[in-house]
Amino acid sequence: MSKNREVPLPVDPSNYIDRFTAFVEIVKILRTDCPWDSAQTNESIAHLMIEEAYETIDAIHKKNDSEFAGELGDLLLHIVMHAIMAEERGAFNLNDVIKKISDKMVHRHPHVFADVNVESTDDVMKNWEQLKKKEGKKSALDGVPLALPALLRAERIQHKASRVGFDWDDKNDVWAKVEEELSELKEEMHNGKNKERVSEEFGDFIFSLVNAARFAEIVPEEALQKTNNKFTKRFQYVEQKAKEMGKELKDMTLGEMDELWDKAKVEL
């Protein structure tokens, strides 16, 4: 049965603090009045936060600011919802969340809020890692989530290791490592006797490529996603052209499909 609740409105629509306060009230009402929202827990919607993050990234890459703003709103909904659910079980509240991140930003930026001098971005990153160590971090790699996609996790691991000086001095050495790992992979694949060894060498090869991408200031996860999108568009082009010809791909020769693929490369 409808409760016909009034929608909380900001006192001053031009004031983002008033808007935020009204939004929090909306989420609280949903937690009490909506059967679906009230049934959720931090655990039940955790995976949705990851999905919303990727949709936000998609909007950024598409350079669609209207969609970008909407996706950031979806992320904000999850942050507020998680905080409200935590407050309901007596863990913490939204104020605690904001205080923690505010305190952290001030503490980790002594070159802005204190008397530490820095000359470059590298200095900022080194100070950041030193401060995290003082905060109780046992490893420079602490904070890299296990659940990250493998390519992104590899990049983050290498990036964090480089901040403490564990890195190549010369980018030519990086490519030499790529060639070394490729050679070892080919050798294991040629032997073809131990699939576990082949898998391990394949992982080493990809890891070395991620390192090379990092030196070229390329985010490998994003680069592969762009390639995935490019392949998808071209493949769907081939499917569409085949359909227009009254054919299905499974009935076409590889040569016929290659011809359509070459056209897709020109047009897309």
Side-chain angles (χ1 to χ4, degrees):
M1 184 173 66
S2 173
K3 296 180 182 297
N4 198 28
R5 293 285 294 268
E6 290 187 6
V7 177
L9 298 174
V11 176
D12 179 1
S14 66
N15 187 321
Y16 71 88
I17 296 177
D18 285 351
R19 280 200 176 276
F20 181 72
T21 301
F23 174 67
V24 172
E25 289 304 311
I26 288 173
V27 178
K28 286 183 177 180
I29 290 173
L30 293 176
R31 281 291 291 169
T32 60
D33 291 10
C34 173
W36 187 91
D37 287 285
S38 61
Q40 302 311 308
T41 65
N42 292 116
E43 291 76 14
S44 70
I45 64 171
H47 68 288
L48 298 177
M49 198 169 194
I50 296 174
E51 182 180 330
E52 296 296 352
Y54 276 105
E55 289 179 358
T56 302
I57 293 171
D58 283 344
I60 292 172
H61 289 164
K62 288 189 291 187
K63 300 186 184 301
N64 185 327
D65 286 337
S66 176
E67 185 177 332
F68 184 22
E71 296 299 345
L72 284 176
D74 290 342
L75 276 177
L76 180 60
L77 168 62
H78 277 265
I79 293 169
V80 172
M81 179 75 83
H82 276 293
I84 289 174
M85 290 190 291
E87 182 177 8
E88 291 168 355
R89 56 188 174 83
F92 57 84
N93 59 33
L94 191 57
N95 189 56
D96 296 322
V97 173
I98 297 171
K99 183 178 186 304
K100 279 181 178 292
I101 190 59
S102 297
D103 291 347
K104 180 190 290 185
M105 290 300 98
V106 171
H107 175 65
R108 291 191 181 176
H109 291 79
H111 54 287
V112 176
F113 300 104
D115 57 0
V116 173
N117 294 318
V118 296
E119 300 295 334
S120 66
T121 300
D122 287 341
D123 289 344
V124 174
M125 293 296 99
K126 288 177 182 177
N127 284 341
W128 186 280
E129 293 302 326
Q130 291 172 2
L131 286 167
K132 286 200 292 185
K133 280 288 185 69
K134 291 179 180 178
E135 292 167 6
K137 302 288 186 181
K138 295 180 179 179
S139 168
L141 303 184
D142 284 351
V144 180
L146 294 174
L148 278 179
L151 277 179
L152 182 56
R153 185 172 175 230
E155 189 271 334
R156 294 305 300 155
I157 288 171
Q158 293 171 8
H159 182 68
K160 283 182 172 288
S162 72
R163 286 184 179 179
V164 294
F166 192 83
D167 207 354
W168 300 95
D169 291 325
D170 189 333
K171 64 180 180 181
N172 292 322
D173 293 334
V174 179
W175 282 107
K177 185 63 175 176
V178 171
E179 292 170 2
E180 175 189 327
E181 295 295 351
L182 178 59
S183 177
E184 292 177 2
L185 172 61
K186 286 181 176 180
E187 183 177 347
E188 286 296 336
M189 294 185 75
H190 178 72
N191 293 335
K193 296 178 181 179
N194 190 327
K195 288 187 177 180
E196 186 174 337
R197 282 289 301 156
V198 172
S199 178
E200 182 180 337
E201 291 298 342
F202 191 77
D204 290 347
F205 173 60
I206 294 175
F207 194 83
S208 67
L209 276 178
V210 170
N211 216 2
R214 182 173 60 85
F215 267 75
E217 297 183 348
I218 295 170
V219 178
E221 182 77 16
E222 293 181 358
L224 184 57
Q225 283 288 22
K226 288 179 181 178
T227 295
N228 288 339
N229 293 339
K230 180 171 62 178
F231 180 90
T232 298
K233 287 181 181 179
R234 290 176 178 176
F235 186 81
Q236 290 173 341
Y237 173 94
V238 171
E239 286 181 313
Q240 180 60 35
K241 291 302 179 182
K243 184 177 180 180
E244 292 173 3
M245 295 164 59
K247 297 182 179 181
E248 292 188 23
L249 295 187
K250 63 184 180 63
D251 300 322
M252 297 176 67
T253 67
L254 183 58
E256 289 175 321
M257 287 188 283
D258 279 342
E259 185 176 342
L260 291 178
W261 184 263
D262 289 338
K263 290 181 180 179
K265 290 168 64 177
V266 171
E267 295 189 22
L268 298 177

